[in-house]
Amino acid sequence: MTNRELINSVNVSLRFNMGKAVITLFLIYILTVFLSTTVITVSLLSTAMIIPVVFGFVLCSIFVMLYLGYAILLAKLYSGKRAVIGDIFFPFRHFSNCGSYAVLLFIVFFVIFSLVFGGGIYLWLTHTIPASAENVTPEFILLKVLDIVPLLSFVSVCLFTVFFLLPHFFVHLVILDNSAITLKEAFKENKILLKKKHLKLLGFLIMVGGKWLLCTVIALCVTSIGRVILMFELINMDKSGISLLMVIMQFFDIVYFICSYTSIIRILTGVAAFYDNCKKSEEGIESILIESDRGE
């Protein structure tokens, strides 16, 4: 199938399943908020420093497993298989392969995130807080750091996606097709299906994200530029001008929230569509080879 045909198949799938996808994503969001609140409460009540660290690692691993389960749910909706909300717990039921993959995803992302944030915050504070500055309070530094968090998060996600997630985009779908497969075997099968197709997959996913992905990037750029303007006072503005800029930034924050989640739904469904197409192509090649062997 061509990219246009695949995109049409994604659009058809989401035309019937977008409601289910949005509701499930909202339920996952509620669940993550509840779990986060619980873990924060327990951590604050604990006197041992190791407790918050352990709880934080477990909590983040659970979040990744939930979203990986969400990707599996969208894949089942795309393929027309019976899909229920309980499918988001698929990685928990198959921890030896799918759940372990989710934990690996979190560890790799955490390493990239730590390097990007550590270096980014150091450079940011070095250039925004002069060495001769006086009365630099922790609250002041925190406000400075919060201004650059969205940009660093975006950079972390981009690096993680391009250098790790993209080369292994089919692992969870291989496991979905054969839940008894080992994680190592799933990586091998993923490598075969994606051989020399990484850039094609990336281009296809950008096309699938379409206007939603474009609006996400634009909204992020507008809010980031607005924060830089306010931080460095690049434009002389009175209180009304600052208030107007803040309103614009809040508006684009809402646009970013809506468009980013819509993009996620479309892209995850697009991964399922591309995988299905690659699998059919691989099966077609195998059947041709088998027929040629029989002919000989």
Side-chain angles (χ1 to χ4, degrees), residues 8-265:
N8 288 337
S9 69
V10 170
N11 291 335
V12 170
S13 174
L14 292 179
R15 190 178 303 151
F16 295 100
N17 299 314
M18 181 59 85
K20 297 177 184 177
V22 171
I23 291 173
T24 306
L25 188 58
F26 178 73
L27 291 175
I28 291 176
Y29 176 76
I30 296 298
L31 184 58
T32 55
V33 170
F34 172 76
L35 290 174
S36 300
T37 304
T38 303
V39 168
I40 291 173
T41 302
V42 172
S43 299
L44 290 175
L45 294 175
S46 174
T47 55
M49 290 296 295
I50 191 64
I51 298 298
V53 175
V54 173
F55 271 54
F57 180 86
V58 173
L59 181 66
C60 291
S61 298
I62 289 174
F63 290 168
V64 177
M65 282 192 278
L66 285 173
Y67 282 102
L68 195 61
Y70 181 66
I72 288 173
L73 171 67
L74 291 180
K76 294 181 73 173
L77 288 173
Y78 172 80
S79 61
K81 297 178 181 178
R82 181 176 178 273
V84 295
I85 293 178
D87 286 325
I88 63 176
F89 299 107
F90 182 91
F92 296 88
R93 297 195 298 268
H94 302 87
F95 186 82
S96 62
N97 44 30
C98 197
S100 299
Y101 176 56
V103 175
L104 178 62
L105 287 175
F106 164 64
I107 292 174
V108 173
F109 179 74
F110 179 76
V111 172
I112 294 175
F113 180 87
S114 299
L115 292 175
V116 171
F117 264 68
I121 290 174
Y122 173 77
L123 292 174
W124 177 251
L125 294 180
T126 301
H127 287 82
T128 58
I129 302 179
S132 59
E134 299 178 355
N135 300 323
V136 179
T137 63
E139 291 79 8
F140 178 77
I141 295 177
L142 179 60
L143 290 175
K144 288 278 188 181
V145 170
L146 289 177
D147 283 322
I148 199 174
V149 164
L151 179 60
L152 294 180
S153 299
F154 181 74
V155 172
S156 299
V157 170
C158 288
L159 291 176
F160 172 69
T161 300
V162 172
F163 292 105
F164 187 82
L165 192 57
L166 183 64
H168 307 110
F169 247 141
F170 290 167
V171 172
H172 65 289
L173 298 175
V174 172
I175 295 173
L176 175 61
D177 283 344
N178 181 11
S179 58
I181 196 172
T182 65
L183 183 58
K184 185 177 181 180
E185 292 170 340
F187 272 107
K188 288 183 179 179
E189 182 66 22
N190 168 88
K191 186 177 180 180
I192 293 172
L193 290 171
L194 266 179
K195 187 177 181 180
K196 297 181 179 179
K197 297 176 183 176
H198 299 92
L199 292 179
K200 186 177 180 181
L201 173 59
L202 180 60
F204 171 71
L205 295 181
I206 291 174
M207 292 174 63
V208 169
K211 61 184 180 182
W212 298 100
L213 184 59
L214 178 62
C215 289
T216 299
V217 174
I218 291 175
L220 179 64
C221 290
V222 170
T223 54
S224 298
I225 291 172
R227 288 186 175 92
V228 171
I229 290 174
L230 292 176
M231 176 63 64
F232 295 101
E233 298 180 355
L234 299 180
I235 300 177
N236 292 324
M237 294 184 293
D238 53 17
K239 290 184 178 180
S240 61
I242 294 175
S243 298
L244 177 60
L245 181 58
M246 292 292 290
V247 170
I248 293 174
M249 290 170 58
Q250 290 172 358
F251 170 77
F252 277 97
D253 278 334
I254 296 173
V255 171
Y256 174 80
F257 177 81
I258 295 173
C259 293
S260 61
Y261 277 99
T262 304
S263 298
I264 288 172
I265 294 172

